[in-house]
Amino acid sequence: MNLHEKLIALVDMDYFFAQCEELRNPNLKGKPVAVCMLTAPERGAISSANYVARKLGAKVGMPVSAAKHQVNDIVILPVDMPYYVTISSKIMSNLTKLFKRVEIASIDEAYVEITVFNYDEAVKMGNEIKKAVFNASGITCTVGIGQNKLIAKMACDSSKPNGLKVIMPEQSIEFIEKSKLNEIPYIGHKTAERLSTMGCNTVLDAKKLSFEQLAREFGQKKGIFIYNALRGIDERPLQINRVRKEYEKFATLGKKDPYEMVDELAASLFLRLKGTKFQEIGIIIIYDDMAVRTKARTLKFYANDMDTIKTEGKQLLKEILALDDRKIRRIGLKVSKLKQTNFLPLSDYMK
Ligand code: TTP
Ligand code: MG
Ligand code: MG
């Protein structure tokens, strides 16, 4: 292995929704717990089950009635998404604070790029990631480390719960070849069954298939993915989540009253914030001759309401208009010094 190898760590929270429930109600610990998406009282399916419930046979997707039948003392709780998002945000904020390159992949998963010299260093980094998650939230997680997203995910899946597994690049091929076909992400049970009808029951069997055979059976895109995955190859890059530094909104003034325009800009800017707090408000004036004037004000506190944007925006406009009476072409309103309340919009978590 070269000095300074870049590896990828996948961190996935253990039984996330159910563990969040244990966190706010420690009496649940040791009992079988399932968090369910309920369509009516007593109707719905399991979204997350703790490991006590899983040992007794509860599974994700299982109807509540079946889970109750299978595990008679199971505690059924409804999904409380805003609460899980709050905990997830704390975790993801800490990871992005401590590590430079992080991709938030879902509500309970993130890929973290690490640079290490050897196996022991990778283990050390893995433990640091686990500590970063726990310190931010009190939640346990599992970390898998490998040369790419695929190996990292498989390493993580194979060491749940509260685990850590490092597969160094030179171990990747052996690791994949010892795995079951359905343990490879995106192959899963259905694809594994189809591979079985093609005479392939192990990774070594499937590696005998040509790319053309796989593409014929599964289509070009999935065929490529499977062909590469069987060989430990996965070139998907990390998609780094950029943290926004500011929000701004511009409009052309035309014949409109500039104060009215600031009101409108404030309203649409407010909608885009989705609850993000801000401490600074700024105005940008573009004159007819394309000259630009800007002015900003820092508030004593963080705010997240539309009225503050409107009031401060109009005050800033008044101060600029007092300077001269040049014709204005465009007006922009901006909020900055942000404090993210939700790290991502809710919909982004449900990928
Ligand atoms: P997962 O990470 O797949 O599962 P998990 O965290 O509950 O358990 P594990 O220890 O195996 O990682 O999913 C994260 C959360 O996403 C999970 O807690 C609930 C939610 N979820 C659903 O709502 N529906 C689903 O089908 C799955 C798979 C997850
Ligand atoms: Mg999880
Ligand atoms: Mg997950």
Side-chain angles (χ1 to χ4, degrees):
M1 177 177 165
N2 305 328
L3 285 177
H4 278 101
E5 185 111 27
K6 278 200 172 83
L7 296 180
I8 290 181
L10 173 67
V11 44
D12 186 294
M13 308 315 135
D14 301 322
Y15 62 101
F16 186 54
F17 291 6
Q19 200 185 163
C20 289
E21 296 296 344
E22 288 184 0
L23 196 65
R24 68 172 156 190
N25 182 1
N27 288 333
L28 292 172
K29 281 205 177 134
K31 293 180 186 161
V33 177
V35 173
C36 302
M37 192 61 91
L38 298 174
T39 48
E42 305 286 298
R43 292 194 62 164
I46 297 184
S47 296
S48 174
N50 69 358
Y51 282 77
V52 181
R54 289 188 208 188
K55 270 210 188 92
L56 298 169
K59 281 194 182 75
V60 171
M62 193 182 245
V64 171
S65 53
K68 282 190 162 169
H69 185 72
Q70 178 77 27
V71 187
N72 31 22
D73 54 349
I74 194 163
V75 180
I76 302 285
L77 298 167
V79 168
D80 179 356
M81 209 54 197
Y83 171 56
Y84 313 141
V85 168
T86 308
I87 294 183
S88 175
S89 297
K90 285 188 196 163
I91 294 170
M92 301 305 176
S93 299
N94 205 30
L95 287 175
T96 44
K97 199 165 82 192
L98 296 174
F99 300 90
K100 254 201 207 128
R101 290 176 50 79
V102 177
E103 172 185 332
I104 301 166
S106 76
I107 190 166
D108 87 328
E109 281 167 58
Y111 290 97
V112 181
E113 190 179 279
I114 57 171
T115 307
V116 293
F117 297 99
N118 53 38
Y119 176 87
D120 289 346
E121 276 242 329
V123 170
K124 203 172 130 224
M125 291 299 278
N127 278 316
E128 283 188 13
I129 294 172
K130 283 169 70 87
K131 228 189 314 167
V133 168
F134 193 81
N135 289 346
S137 63
I139 290 280
T140 69
C141 65
T142 299
V143 173
I145 297 179
Q147 65 187 4
N148 54 37
K149 286 182 169 180
L150 175 91
I151 308 276
K153 169 96 175 114
M154 289 178 68
C156 178
D157 287 349
S158 68
S159 50
K160 276 198 155 280
N162 201 3
L164 168 61
K165 188 181 234 162
V166 175
I167 304 295
M168 293 306 273
E170 58 274 18
Q171 302 171 304
S172 298
I173 301 283
E174 193 192 346
F175 174 64
I176 297 258
E177 289 182 352
K178 281 194 174 150
S179 303
K180 293 194 183 115
L181 279 170
N182 64 27
E183 288 167 350
I184 298 180
Y186 304 109
I187 291 195
H189 288 282
K190 274 204 182 132
T191 307
E193 268 169 34
R194 272 165 78 184
L195 285 167
S196 174
T197 62
M198 295 166 81
C200 302
N201 294 304
T202 65
V203 171
L204 280 177
D205 292 341
K207 276 178 93 164
K208 294 195 185 109
L209 297 174
S210 67
F211 164 67
E212 286 74 21
Q213 282 172 294
L214 285 167
R216 218 176 302 132
E217 183 72 20
F218 301 104
Q220 182 91 354
K221 204 169 161 205
K222 185 155 184 178
I224 294 178
F225 189 86
I226 297 174
Y227 185 88
N228 283 337
L230 293 167
R231 289 156 181 81
I233 300 167
D234 175 14
E235 285 170 351
R236 287 173 298 164
L238 237 59
Q239 293 184 317
I240 308 298
N241 308 81
R242 281 176 301 138
V243 178
R244 257 184 184 279
K245 294 255 189 307
E246 60 185 33
Y247 286 84
E248 58 182 19
K249 178 90 189 147
F250 279 87
T252 302
L253 186 60
K255 291 197 166 52
K256 208 169 248 166
D257 172 63
Y259 289 97
E260 216 176 283
M261 172 115 274
V262 167
D263 268 344
E264 286 177 22
L265 288 171
S268 59
L269 195 55
F270 172 73
L271 283 181
R272 287 175 50 202
L273 290 177
K274 297 196 180 83
T276 301
K277 291 184 180 165
F278 52 87
Q279 206 189 359
E280 191 173 65
I281 298 170
I283 193 164
I284 304 116
I285 303 286
I286 303 172
Y287 295 98
D288 235 17
D289 60 359
M290 300 313 272
V292 178
R293 230 194 247 285
T294 63
K295 208 163 174 49
R297 176 150 304 126
T298 301
L299 307 170
K300 288 207 178 76
F301 305 99
Y302 280 92
N304 66 349
D305 63 301
M306 184 163 62
D307 277 350
T308 305
I309 311 177
K310 283 188 175 174
T311 316
E312 294 296 333
K314 282 188 283 198
Q315 179 58 34
L316 290 166
L317 175 68
K318 191 172 156 196
E319 291 168 21
I320 286 194
L321 291 182
L323 298 174
D324 59 47
D325 55 3
R326 272 187 287 170
K327 193 168 184 310
I328 294 171
R329 180 178 294 209
R330 280 168 75 73
I331 298 182
L333 215 50
K334 177 172 102 171
V335 294
S336 48
K337 294 194 181 157
L338 305 178
K339 194 189 257 176
Q340 242 79 17
T341 41
N342 282 348
F343 208 78
L344 287 174
L346 210 58
S347 57
D348 286 2
Y349 278 117
M350 300 310 291
K351 279 189 285 190

